[in-house]
Amino acid sequence: MPRTTVGIIGAGPAGLLLSHLLHRQGIDNVVLELRDRTYVERRQRAGILEQDTVDVLRLSGAGARMDRQGLEHHGIELRFDRRSHRIDFPSLTGGRSVMVYAQTEVVKDLIALREEADGTILFEAEALSVDGIETDRPAVRYRHDGAEHTLDCDFVVACDGFHGIGRRSLPEDVLTVTERTYPFSWLGILADVAPSCDELIYAHHERGFALHSMRSPEVSRLYLQVDPDDSTDNWPDERIWDELEARFAVDGDWELKRGPITEKSITPMRSFVAEPLRHGRLFLAGDAAHIVPPTGAKGLNLAVADVTLLAQALTRHHTRGDESLLDAYSETALRRVWRAEHFSYTMTTLLHSSPDDNDFDRALRLSHLRYLANSAAASASLAENYVGFSDN
């Protein structure tokens, strides 16, 4: 495979959507993915799509199954002090909402579209290096089927996640990294039981945060705040359900439905931003460039925003020879990234208990939650950020 216009490292939603968007504009591209197809299609990640993400998928022809099977949500529920408060998105954001549709399904849809178009996705292709990024002939050296190959490109886009080679290919004197690690993690479960709620529940409790989400009308996705060094071995099913019930408890007759737990995992919480998102002919997108704690449901949506900008910029270059949008990509994308980082940080620190909390910290947190519940302006700010806000 001697040459392509855009070499894309990573077949997550960012890399696959970029490949699809470029194909629609007549720009040839190749996707290299370290894992096999089965792993990629089963990799559990986010499940909340912002309005802009939904719009991009629909406009690109990738939203048909999402519209049939996704669950449109018009709000979220905040729980604290055994009370429930609903944040109504459409009334606070001019009619915008979110869609519950798992990342696994977005990935399956995009792979199917690339197959229909005879697009090239090389699974089990390990990117070994990205070379020549300061020239007009960058190349990705990779291993596939036991042999090493070189993919020559006009541009390389790294969508290969936090641990990928893309970001590490930027010169050390160019790259700036800003990060924060939080003193807690999430124990996440999938359960074969109908959700106990119509919309997501974000619960603040003295014993820690809890989140009730869903993947479908038959499958629930739930999370518990746990210590960073905790293990799923410490959490038998009955203990998980008991703890969830305690943290979601409200005055009234609401009941948490229980069912078979099919998956358990513990996810660390961190914030991370790499700058710049471009050096020479190499661009970073998605988790290769930034990580947000999942409390704000922004990770997948930021990846989609990144590659939407890149697709527009590469199309402008391809059709007009104009590199202005490519030159502006890093600055433009980072404005949205930092807005999402702030929102995710705010939601995380607001809803979680910290080991270092004192009475003052706990009182401030409850005051903030009451303000969100009782102030139209505060509710509107939360809603605007949740459904997707950008000043680009």
Side-chain angles (χ1 to χ4, degrees), residues 147-201:
E148 290 192 11
H149 309 268
T150 298
L151 177 64
D152 293 320
C153 319
D154 292 338
F155 301 96
V156 178
V157 181
C159 305
D160 52 346
F162 181 79
H163 298 289
I165 196 170
R167 186 180 63 254
R168 291 185 278 124
S169 299
L170 270 68
E172 290 185 2
D173 61 344
V174 169
L175 185 66
T176 298
V177 169
T178 309
E179 57 188 324
R180 173 185 291 271
T181 300
Y182 297 87
F184 35 74
S185 295
W186 275 12
L187 168 64
I189 67 164
L190 276 176
D192 285 340
V193 60
S196 305
C197 50
D198 296 323
E199 297 171 335
L200 272 68
I201 301 173

Short mmCIF file of all heavy atoms in Angstrom, two decimals, residues 147-201:
data_model
loop_
_atom_site.label_atom_id
_atom_site.label_comp_id
_atom_site.label_asym_id
_atom_site.label_seq_id
_atom_site.Cartn_x
_atom_site.Cartn_y
_atom_site.Cartn_z
N ALA A 147 4.55 -8.52 8.85
CA ALA A 147 5.56 -7.80 8.07
C ALA A 147 5.42 -6.31 8.31
O ALA A 147 4.35 -5.81 8.66
CB ALA A 147 5.39 -8.10 6.58
N GLU A 148 6.52 -5.57 8.13
CA GLU A 148 6.50 -4.12 8.27
C GLU A 148 6.23 -3.47 6.92
O GLU A 148 6.71 -3.93 5.87
CB GLU A 148 7.82 -3.62 8.85
CG GLU A 148 8.01 -3.99 10.30
CD GLU A 148 9.17 -3.25 10.97
OE1 GLU A 148 9.69 -2.30 10.34
OE2 GLU A 148 9.53 -3.62 12.09
N HIS A 149 5.44 -2.37 6.97
CA HIS A 149 5.05 -1.65 5.77
C HIS A 149 5.17 -0.16 6.06
O HIS A 149 5.24 0.28 7.22
CB HIS A 149 3.61 -1.96 5.38
CG HIS A 149 3.30 -3.41 5.29
ND1 HIS A 149 3.41 -4.13 4.13
CD2 HIS A 149 2.87 -4.29 6.24
CE1 HIS A 149 3.06 -5.39 4.35
NE2 HIS A 149 2.73 -5.51 5.63
N THR A 150 5.16 0.62 4.99
CA THR A 150 5.16 2.08 5.11
C THR A 150 4.00 2.65 4.31
O THR A 150 3.82 2.31 3.13
CB THR A 150 6.48 2.68 4.60
OG1 THR A 150 7.56 2.18 5.39
CG2 THR A 150 6.45 4.21 4.72
N LEU A 151 3.21 3.48 4.97
CA LEU A 151 2.10 4.17 4.32
C LEU A 151 2.49 5.63 4.12
O LEU A 151 2.59 6.39 5.09
CB LEU A 151 0.84 4.08 5.18
CG LEU A 151 -0.40 4.81 4.66
CD1 LEU A 151 -0.88 4.21 3.34
CD2 LEU A 151 -1.52 4.76 5.71
N ASP A 152 2.74 6.03 2.88
CA ASP A 152 3.04 7.42 2.56
C ASP A 152 1.74 8.21 2.46
O ASP A 152 0.76 7.72 1.88
CB ASP A 152 3.81 7.50 1.24
CG ASP A 152 5.19 6.88 1.33
OD1 ASP A 152 5.85 7.07 2.37
OD2 ASP A 152 5.60 6.20 0.37
N CYS A 153 1.75 9.43 2.99
CA CYS A 153 0.53 10.23 3.06
C CYS A 153 0.84 11.70 2.73
O CYS A 153 2.00 12.11 2.73
CB CYS A 153 -0.07 10.19 4.47
SG CYS A 153 -0.05 8.60 5.30
N ASP A 154 -0.21 12.45 2.50
CA ASP A 154 -0.09 13.90 2.51
C ASP A 154 -0.26 14.44 3.92
O ASP A 154 0.37 15.43 4.30
CB ASP A 154 -1.15 14.53 1.59
CG ASP A 154 -0.91 14.23 0.12
OD1 ASP A 154 0.24 13.92 -0.24
OD2 ASP A 154 -1.87 14.30 -0.66
N PHE A 155 -1.13 13.78 4.69
CA PHE A 155 -1.40 14.17 6.07
C PHE A 155 -1.59 12.91 6.91
O PHE A 155 -2.04 11.87 6.40
CB PHE A 155 -2.68 15.02 6.18
CG PHE A 155 -2.65 16.29 5.37
CD1 PHE A 155 -3.21 16.32 4.10
CD2 PHE A 155 -2.06 17.43 5.88
CE1 PHE A 155 -3.18 17.49 3.35
CE2 PHE A 155 -2.03 18.60 5.13
CZ PHE A 155 -2.59 18.63 3.86
N VAL A 156 -1.26 13.01 8.20
CA VAL A 156 -1.50 11.93 9.15
C VAL A 156 -2.37 12.48 10.28
O VAL A 156 -2.08 13.55 10.82
CB VAL A 156 -0.19 11.37 9.75
CG1 VAL A 156 -0.49 10.27 10.78
CG2 VAL A 156 0.72 10.83 8.64
N VAL A 157 -3.42 11.74 10.61
CA VAL A 157 -4.29 12.12 11.73
C VAL A 157 -4.25 11.00 12.75
O VAL A 157 -4.59 9.85 12.45
CB VAL A 157 -5.74 12.38 11.27
CG1 VAL A 157 -6.59 12.80 12.47
CG2 VAL A 157 -5.78 13.46 10.19
N ALA A 158 -3.81 11.32 13.96
CA ALA A 158 -3.71 10.34 15.04
C ALA A 158 -4.99 10.36 15.87
O ALA A 158 -5.27 11.33 16.58
CB ALA A 158 -2.51 10.64 15.92
N CYS A 159 -5.77 9.30 15.74
CA CYS A 159 -6.99 9.10 16.54
C CYS A 159 -6.80 7.83 17.36
O CYS A 159 -7.75 7.05 17.54
CB CYS A 159 -8.21 8.97 15.63
SG CYS A 159 -8.47 10.31 14.46
N ASP A 160 -5.59 7.62 17.85
CA ASP A 160 -5.20 6.34 18.44
C ASP A 160 -5.20 6.34 19.96
O ASP A 160 -4.56 5.50 20.59
CB ASP A 160 -3.83 5.90 17.91
CG ASP A 160 -2.76 6.97 18.06
OD1 ASP A 160 -3.10 8.14 18.32
OD2 ASP A 160 -1.57 6.65 17.89
N GLY A 161 -5.94 7.26 20.58
CA GLY A 161 -6.15 7.19 22.01
C GLY A 161 -5.00 7.69 22.85
O GLY A 161 -3.94 8.07 22.34
N PHE A 162 -5.21 7.66 24.14
CA PHE A 162 -4.25 8.22 25.09
C PHE A 162 -2.90 7.54 25.02
O PHE A 162 -1.85 8.17 25.16
CB PHE A 162 -4.83 8.10 26.50
CG PHE A 162 -3.94 8.67 27.57
CD1 PHE A 162 -3.89 10.04 27.79
CD2 PHE A 162 -3.16 7.84 28.35
CE1 PHE A 162 -3.07 10.56 28.77
CE2 PHE A 162 -2.33 8.37 29.34
CZ PHE A 162 -2.29 9.73 29.54
N HIS A 163 -2.89 6.23 24.79
CA HIS A 163 -1.64 5.46 24.82
C HIS A 163 -1.03 5.27 23.44
O HIS A 163 -0.03 4.56 23.30
CB HIS A 163 -1.88 4.09 25.47
CG HIS A 163 -2.34 4.17 26.90
ND1 HIS A 163 -1.52 4.56 27.93
CD2 HIS A 163 -3.57 3.94 27.45
CE1 HIS A 163 -2.20 4.55 29.07
NE2 HIS A 163 -3.43 4.18 28.80
N GLY A 164 -1.60 5.88 22.41
CA GLY A 164 -1.14 5.65 21.06
C GLY A 164 0.16 6.36 20.73
O GLY A 164 0.68 7.18 21.50
N ILE A 165 0.66 6.07 19.55
CA ILE A 165 1.95 6.61 19.13
C ILE A 165 1.83 8.02 18.58
O ILE A 165 2.81 8.76 18.49
CB ILE A 165 2.59 5.69 18.07
CG1 ILE A 165 4.08 6.01 17.91
CG2 ILE A 165 1.85 5.79 16.72
CD1 ILE A 165 4.82 5.01 17.07
N GLY A 166 0.61 8.43 18.22
CA GLY A 166 0.44 9.72 17.56
C GLY A 166 0.97 10.90 18.34
O GLY A 166 1.82 11.66 17.86
N ARG A 167 0.48 11.06 19.57
CA ARG A 167 0.91 12.21 20.37
C ARG A 167 2.40 12.12 20.68
O ARG A 167 3.11 13.15 20.71
CB ARG A 167 0.11 12.28 21.67
CG ARG A 167 0.40 13.51 22.51
CD ARG A 167 -0.40 13.55 23.78
NE ARG A 167 -0.09 12.46 24.68
CZ ARG A 167 -0.88 11.41 24.90
NH1 ARG A 167 -2.01 11.29 24.25
NH2 ARG A 167 -0.50 10.46 25.74
N ARG A 168 2.91 10.92 20.88
CA ARG A 168 4.33 10.76 21.20
C ARG A 168 5.23 11.06 20.00
O ARG A 168 6.45 11.14 20.16
CB ARG A 168 4.57 9.32 21.69
CG ARG A 168 3.95 9.06 23.06
CD ARG A 168 4.29 7.68 23.59
NE ARG A 168 3.42 6.65 23.03
CZ ARG A 168 3.85 5.59 22.40
NH1 ARG A 168 5.14 5.42 22.18
NH2 ARG A 168 3.00 4.69 21.94
N SER A 169 4.63 11.24 18.83
CA SER A 169 5.42 11.57 17.65
C SER A 169 5.70 13.06 17.53
O SER A 169 6.50 13.47 16.69
CB SER A 169 4.69 11.08 16.39
OG SER A 169 4.51 9.68 16.42
N LEU A 170 5.03 13.89 18.35
CA LEU A 170 5.33 15.31 18.36
C LEU A 170 6.64 15.55 19.10
O LEU A 170 6.91 14.89 20.12
CB LEU A 170 4.22 16.12 19.05
CG LEU A 170 3.08 16.62 18.16
CD1 LEU A 170 2.25 15.45 17.64
CD2 LEU A 170 2.20 17.61 18.91
N PRO A 171 7.48 16.46 18.63
CA PRO A 171 8.73 16.76 19.33
C PRO A 171 8.46 17.22 20.76
O PRO A 171 7.49 17.95 21.02
CB PRO A 171 9.34 17.89 18.50
CG PRO A 171 8.71 17.77 17.15
CD PRO A 171 7.32 17.26 17.38
N GLU A 172 9.29 16.79 21.68
CA GLU A 172 9.09 17.13 23.09
C GLU A 172 9.10 18.63 23.34
O GLU A 172 8.41 19.13 24.23
CB GLU A 172 10.17 16.45 23.96
CG GLU A 172 10.01 14.94 24.05
CD GLU A 172 11.01 14.33 25.00
OE1 GLU A 172 11.79 15.09 25.62
OE2 GLU A 172 11.03 13.09 25.14
N ASP A 173 9.90 19.38 22.56
CA ASP A 173 9.97 20.82 22.79
C ASP A 173 8.78 21.55 22.19
O ASP A 173 8.63 22.76 22.38
CB ASP A 173 11.28 21.39 22.22
CG ASP A 173 11.41 21.18 20.72
OD1 ASP A 173 10.67 20.34 20.17
OD2 ASP A 173 12.26 21.84 20.11
N VAL A 174 7.91 20.83 21.50
CA VAL A 174 6.70 21.42 20.91
C VAL A 174 5.48 21.15 21.78
O VAL A 174 4.61 22.00 21.94
CB VAL A 174 6.47 20.86 19.49
CG1 VAL A 174 5.08 21.24 18.96
CG2 VAL A 174 7.56 21.35 18.54
N LEU A 175 5.43 19.97 22.38
CA LEU A 175 4.24 19.49 23.08
C LEU A 175 4.17 20.02 24.51
O LEU A 175 5.14 19.96 25.27
CB LEU A 175 4.25 17.96 23.10
CG LEU A 175 3.02 17.27 23.67
CD1 LEU A 175 1.81 17.52 22.79
CD2 LEU A 175 3.28 15.76 23.80
N THR A 176 2.99 20.51 24.89
CA THR A 176 2.70 20.90 26.26
C THR A 176 1.54 20.05 26.76
O THR A 176 0.52 19.92 26.08
CB THR A 176 2.31 22.38 26.34
OG1 THR A 176 3.40 23.18 25.90
CG2 THR A 176 1.94 22.77 27.77
N VAL A 177 1.68 19.47 27.93
CA VAL A 177 0.66 18.60 28.50
C VAL A 177 0.18 19.20 29.82
O VAL A 177 0.98 19.58 30.68
CB VAL A 177 1.21 17.18 28.74
CG1 VAL A 177 0.23 16.36 29.56
CG2 VAL A 177 1.48 16.49 27.40
N THR A 178 -1.13 19.29 29.96
CA THR A 178 -1.76 19.75 31.21
C THR A 178 -2.69 18.65 31.68
O THR A 178 -3.50 18.15 30.90
CB THR A 178 -2.57 21.04 30.97
OG1 THR A 178 -1.76 21.99 30.28
CG2 THR A 178 -3.03 21.63 32.28
N GLU A 179 -2.60 18.29 32.95
CA GLU A 179 -3.43 17.17 33.40
C GLU A 179 -3.77 17.27 34.89
O GLU A 179 -3.14 18.01 35.65
CB GLU A 179 -2.74 15.83 33.12
CG GLU A 179 -1.37 15.67 33.72
CD GLU A 179 -0.68 14.39 33.24
OE1 GLU A 179 -1.39 13.37 33.05
OE2 GLU A 179 0.53 14.42 33.03
N ARG A 180 -4.81 16.52 35.27
CA ARG A 180 -5.25 16.41 36.66
C ARG A 180 -5.73 14.99 36.90
O ARG A 180 -6.44 14.41 36.06
CB ARG A 180 -6.38 17.40 36.95
CG ARG A 180 -7.02 17.23 38.34
CD ARG A 180 -8.21 18.14 38.51
NE ARG A 180 -7.81 19.53 38.59
CZ ARG A 180 -7.47 20.17 39.71
NH1 ARG A 180 -7.47 19.51 40.86
NH2 ARG A 180 -7.14 21.43 39.68
N THR A 181 -5.34 14.42 38.02
CA THR A 181 -5.82 13.10 38.42
C THR A 181 -6.73 13.27 39.63
O THR A 181 -6.41 14.02 40.57
CB THR A 181 -4.65 12.17 38.79
OG1 THR A 181 -3.78 12.04 37.65
CG2 THR A 181 -5.16 10.79 39.18
N TYR A 182 -7.87 12.59 39.60
CA TYR A 182 -8.86 12.74 40.68
C TYR A 182 -8.70 11.62 41.70
O TYR A 182 -8.28 10.51 41.34
CB TYR A 182 -10.27 12.73 40.08
CG TYR A 182 -10.52 13.89 39.15
CD1 TYR A 182 -10.18 13.81 37.80
CD2 TYR A 182 -11.06 15.08 39.62
CE1 TYR A 182 -10.39 14.87 36.94
CE2 TYR A 182 -11.27 16.15 38.76
CZ TYR A 182 -10.93 16.04 37.43
OH TYR A 182 -11.13 17.11 36.58
N PRO A 183 -9.05 11.87 42.96
CA PRO A 183 -8.82 10.88 44.02
C PRO A 183 -9.94 9.85 44.14
O PRO A 183 -10.28 9.40 45.23
CB PRO A 183 -8.75 11.76 45.28
CG PRO A 183 -9.68 12.89 44.98
CD PRO A 183 -9.52 13.17 43.51
N PHE A 184 -10.54 9.46 43.01
CA PHE A 184 -11.58 8.45 43.01
C PHE A 184 -11.68 7.86 41.60
O PHE A 184 -11.15 8.41 40.64
CB PHE A 184 -12.93 9.01 43.45
CG PHE A 184 -13.20 10.43 43.02
CD1 PHE A 184 -13.52 10.71 41.68
CD2 PHE A 184 -13.12 11.48 43.90
CE1 PHE A 184 -13.75 12.01 41.26
CE2 PHE A 184 -13.35 12.78 43.50
CZ PHE A 184 -13.67 13.05 42.17
N SER A 185 -12.36 6.73 41.51
CA SER A 185 -12.60 6.06 40.23
C SER A 185 -14.07 5.72 40.13
O SER A 185 -14.84 5.92 41.08
CB SER A 185 -11.75 4.78 40.12
OG SER A 185 -10.38 5.08 40.09
N TRP A 186 -14.46 5.15 38.98
CA TRP A 186 -15.83 4.68 38.78
C TRP A 186 -15.84 3.17 38.63
O TRP A 186 -15.08 2.62 37.83
CB TRP A 186 -16.42 5.28 37.51
CG TRP A 186 -17.03 6.63 37.67
CD1 TRP A 186 -16.92 7.47 38.72
CD2 TRP A 186 -17.86 7.30 36.70
NE1 TRP A 186 -17.61 8.64 38.49
CE2 TRP A 186 -18.20 8.56 37.26
CE3 TRP A 186 -18.32 6.97 35.44
CZ2 TRP A 186 -18.99 9.48 36.58
CZ3 TRP A 186 -19.11 7.89 34.76
CH2 TRP A 186 -19.45 9.13 35.32
N LEU A 187 -16.70 2.52 39.40
CA LEU A 187 -17.05 1.13 39.15
C LEU A 187 -18.27 1.14 38.24
O LEU A 187 -19.33 1.64 38.62
CB LEU A 187 -17.37 0.41 40.47
CG LEU A 187 -18.04 -0.96 40.35
CD1 LEU A 187 -17.11 -1.96 39.68
CD2 LEU A 187 -18.48 -1.48 41.72
N GLY A 188 -18.10 0.65 37.01
CA GLY A 188 -19.19 0.64 36.04
C GLY A 188 -19.70 -0.77 35.81
O GLY A 188 -18.92 -1.73 35.79
N ILE A 189 -21.01 -0.89 35.65
CA ILE A 189 -21.61 -2.19 35.37
C ILE A 189 -22.57 -2.09 34.19
O ILE A 189 -23.16 -1.03 33.93
CB ILE A 189 -22.36 -2.78 36.59
CG1 ILE A 189 -23.59 -1.93 36.92
CG2 ILE A 189 -21.44 -2.91 37.78
CD1 ILE A 189 -24.59 -2.63 37.84
N LEU A 190 -22.70 -3.18 33.47
CA LEU A 190 -23.80 -3.40 32.53
C LEU A 190 -24.70 -4.46 33.14
O LEU A 190 -24.21 -5.46 33.68
CB LEU A 190 -23.30 -3.88 31.18
CG LEU A 190 -22.81 -2.84 30.17
CD1 LEU A 190 -22.25 -3.54 28.94
CD2 LEU A 190 -23.93 -1.89 29.77
N ALA A 191 -26.02 -4.25 33.07
CA ALA A 191 -26.95 -5.20 33.66
C ALA A 191 -28.11 -5.46 32.71
O ALA A 191 -28.64 -4.53 32.09
CB ALA A 191 -27.46 -4.69 35.00
N ASP A 192 -28.49 -6.71 32.59
CA ASP A 192 -29.63 -7.08 31.75
C ASP A 192 -30.92 -6.85 32.53
O ASP A 192 -31.57 -7.78 33.02
CB ASP A 192 -29.51 -8.55 31.32
CG ASP A 192 -28.46 -8.76 30.25
OD1 ASP A 192 -28.10 -7.78 29.58
OD2 ASP A 192 -28.00 -9.90 30.10
N VAL A 193 -31.26 -5.59 32.64
CA VAL A 193 -32.49 -5.20 33.33
C VAL A 193 -32.94 -3.87 32.75
O VAL A 193 -32.12 -3.02 32.40
CB VAL A 193 -32.26 -5.09 34.86
CG1 VAL A 193 -31.21 -4.03 35.20
CG2 VAL A 193 -33.56 -4.78 35.59
N ALA A 194 -34.24 -3.70 32.62
CA ALA A 194 -34.77 -2.45 32.10
C ALA A 194 -34.38 -1.30 33.02
O ALA A 194 -34.35 -1.46 34.24
CB ALA A 194 -36.29 -2.54 31.99
N PRO A 195 -34.05 -0.13 32.47
CA PRO A 195 -33.68 1.01 33.31
C PRO A 195 -34.78 1.37 34.30
O PRO A 195 -35.97 1.22 34.01
CB PRO A 195 -33.47 2.14 32.29
CG PRO A 195 -33.16 1.44 31.00
CD PRO A 195 -33.96 0.18 31.03
N SER A 196 -34.36 1.85 35.44
CA SER A 196 -35.30 2.26 36.48
C SER A 196 -35.69 3.72 36.34
O SER A 196 -36.34 4.28 37.24
CB SER A 196 -34.67 2.03 37.86
OG SER A 196 -34.25 0.70 38.01
N CYS A 197 -35.30 4.35 35.24
CA CYS A 197 -35.55 5.77 35.04
C CYS A 197 -35.76 6.03 33.54
O CYS A 197 -35.33 5.25 32.69
CB CYS A 197 -34.39 6.61 35.56
SG CYS A 197 -32.78 6.05 34.94
N ASP A 198 -36.40 7.14 33.24
CA ASP A 198 -36.59 7.55 31.85
C ASP A 198 -35.43 8.38 31.35
O ASP A 198 -35.18 8.45 30.14
CB ASP A 198 -37.89 8.35 31.71
CG ASP A 198 -39.12 7.50 32.03
OD1 ASP A 198 -39.11 6.31 31.68
OD2 ASP A 198 -40.06 8.04 32.64
N GLU A 199 -34.74 9.06 32.25
CA GLU A 199 -33.59 9.90 31.91
C GLU A 199 -32.47 9.64 32.91
O GLU A 199 -32.70 9.07 33.98
CB GLU A 199 -33.98 11.38 31.94
CG GLU A 199 -35.04 11.72 30.90
CD GLU A 199 -35.60 13.13 31.07
OE1 GLU A 199 -35.55 13.67 32.19
OE2 GLU A 199 -36.09 13.68 30.06
N LEU A 200 -31.25 10.04 32.56
CA LEU A 200 -30.11 9.78 33.43
C LEU A 200 -30.29 10.41 34.80
O LEU A 200 -30.79 11.54 34.92
CB LEU A 200 -28.82 10.31 32.80
CG LEU A 200 -28.08 9.35 31.85
CD1 LEU A 200 -28.89 9.11 30.58
CD2 LEU A 200 -26.71 9.90 31.52
N ILE A 201 -29.83 9.68 35.82
CA ILE A 201 -29.84 10.19 37.19
C ILE A 201 -28.41 10.40 37.65
O ILE A 201 -27.59 9.48 37.63
CB ILE A 201 -30.53 9.21 38.15
CG1 ILE A 201 -31.97 8.93 37.72
CG2 ILE A 201 -30.50 9.76 39.58
CD1 ILE A 201 -32.64 7.83 38.54
#
